[in-house]
Amino acid sequence: MRAADLLIGPRGRDLCWSLTAAGAEFTENGALAALADATTMAVYWQEPIEHHLARPGVSLEPVAERLAADDVTTGWAAPIALDDQHVVDLDIAGHPARTPDPAALRGQLAALTAEHTRAIPSRDDADRNIDWRTTSGVWWSAPSTHPGVHTTRSVGGRPLGLLLVEDDPCADTARSWRIRAPRTARVLELGAPAHWVELVGRYPLDVTAGKRGDWWRATGRDGGWLMPDWPAVAGDWDAVHLSIAGYLTTAGRALDVDGGYATVLAGWDPDATFWFDDVIGVAGDVTRWSRDADLLGWTQVG
């Protein structure tokens, strides 16, 4: 992961800004806290907020160069840790409790695809009383949000799914399960913007009707939009893993594909793996967590 790569996308720039604002504490917890801050600030249904924008007179290059070379980020480009994967269920008001059932995710892919492509008014719609730019659709491009099965590795005994959450709902309690994954699992790795663009190009799904307004506001680009056709992806792969480096360099950017289309990686947390098949199983009892005021302050309570 190069310094220039960190500065090319909004999540990487937010990470560097958070480290700069915090006095650039280059420890594992310091880097994770900055990454958590950058992740929770991710929004893809509105214009970039001030934290995402370049600050006059502030150079992020020195902190990006140090971050890219520091040992604390060595594992950020690593592939999935198959022997250290955890499902996290944040206790969010209004959402049912989630269980580690991969069949639930695969079963909802077709319905999710239909929701991604549902029509909203276009700019050229005959009804001029409707402004497509103010009409919101389904803004994420990850396979699912809640429910569904996605996992992360752990750091310091805590699953990253507790710490790194886009648009963090700030839950105070959570549960987690360790899962068992076979070495033979077919896991597609997303470690760079080119990997996401290649995936979209191989399994294209036109989502212009559902995402044009949201992604225009988030990126400033107007035009046709694509995302992966997840049911088609699930036919060839057991899971897809997004590394931390892949997240920082890819998420939130309008990336050109082909034929005048572009794509956005949105709604996918750092290091998260989405599972499509029942190749995984529960490997342990439920662990319960409680969070204090600290962004990384999750404590095991049972």
Side-chain angles (χ1 to χ4, degrees):
M1 185 171 59
R2 303 175 306 170
D5 295 331
L6 280 173
L7 297 177
I8 202 169
R11 303 287 78 75
R13 292 195 300 272
D14 276 356
L15 168 66
C16 293
W17 172 254
S18 293
L19 278 169
T20 300
E25 182 186 352
F26 283 84
T27 63
E28 183 173 65
N29 275 349
L32 272 180
L35 179 57
D37 184 53
T39 304
T40 195
M41 296 295 289
V43 290
Y44 305 106
W45 58 91
Q46 66 180 47
E47 293 79 2
I49 58 178
E50 184 181 0
H51 191 55
H52 298 168
L53 306 177
R55 303 297 180 91
V58 177
S59 174
L60 299 179
E61 283 81 359
V63 72
E65 291 171 359
R66 183 175 174 186
L67 188 63
D70 201 279
D71 289 343
V72 300
T73 63
T74 299
W76 287 13
I80 185 175
L82 283 172
D83 59 348
D84 181 28
Q85 290 295 298
H86 305 262
V87 173
V88 170
D89 181 32
L90 298 172
D91 292 330
I92 305 172
H95 287 277
R98 186 159 61 96
T99 58
D101 178 10
L105 176 56
R106 181 155 189 141
Q108 71 173 302
L109 287 177
L112 183 67
T113 297
E115 179 68 5
H116 278 303
T117 56
R118 71 178 177 86
I120 62 173
S122 70
R123 184 173 57 180
D124 301 319
D125 194 275
D127 186 352
R128 299 301 178 180
N129 293 321
I130 301 177
D131 184 355
W132 66 272
R133 294 182 175 183
T134 64
T135 306
S136 183
V138 181
W139 53 266
W140 61 84
S141 54
S144 178
T145 53
H146 190 106
V149 176
H150 60 277
T151 61
T152 62
R153 63 187 170 95
S154 63
V155 172
R158 297 171 297 180
L160 286 177
L162 291 170
L163 313 177
L164 308 177
V165 184
E166 283 202 336
D167 189 32
D168 189 354
C170 298
D172 294 324
T173 57
R175 304 178 299 160
S176 70
W177 302 263
R178 185 165 183 163
I179 64 99
R180 178 179 59 256
R183 292 287 175 183
T184 56
R186 302 169 300 165
V187 181
L188 177 64
E189 292 287 344
L190 301 177
H195 298 164
W196 177 252
V197 171
E198 181 181 359
L199 176 64
V200 173
R202 184 175 177 183
Y203 305 94
L205 179 68
D206 190 331
V207 292
T208 307
K211 300 188 184 300
R212 188 175 186 178
D214 285 322
W215 286 0
W216 171 79
R217 284 189 292 271
T219 70
R221 178 196 179 273
D222 182 19
W225 294 101
L226 298 174
M227 64 170 273
D229 182 342
W230 290 118
V233 176
D236 294 334
W237 300 91
D238 296 319
V240 182
H241 170 247
L242 176 67
S243 69
I244 293 176
Y247 175 81
L248 289 171
T249 56
T250 309
R253 296 175 59 192
L255 299 170
D256 292 333
V257 189
D258 287 316
Y261 283 90
T263 185
V264 176
L265 175 66
W268 198 318
D269 300 332
D271 191 58
T273 299
F274 283 89
W275 296 88
F276 304 129
D277 270 323
D278 57 359
V279 296
I280 62 173
V282 178
D285 295 331
V286 173
T287 300
R288 299 188 180 277
W289 303 88
S290 178
R291 179 161 67 174
D292 58 27
D294 191 317
L295 193 62
L296 299 181
W298 285 97
T299 302
Q300 185 174 333
V301 294

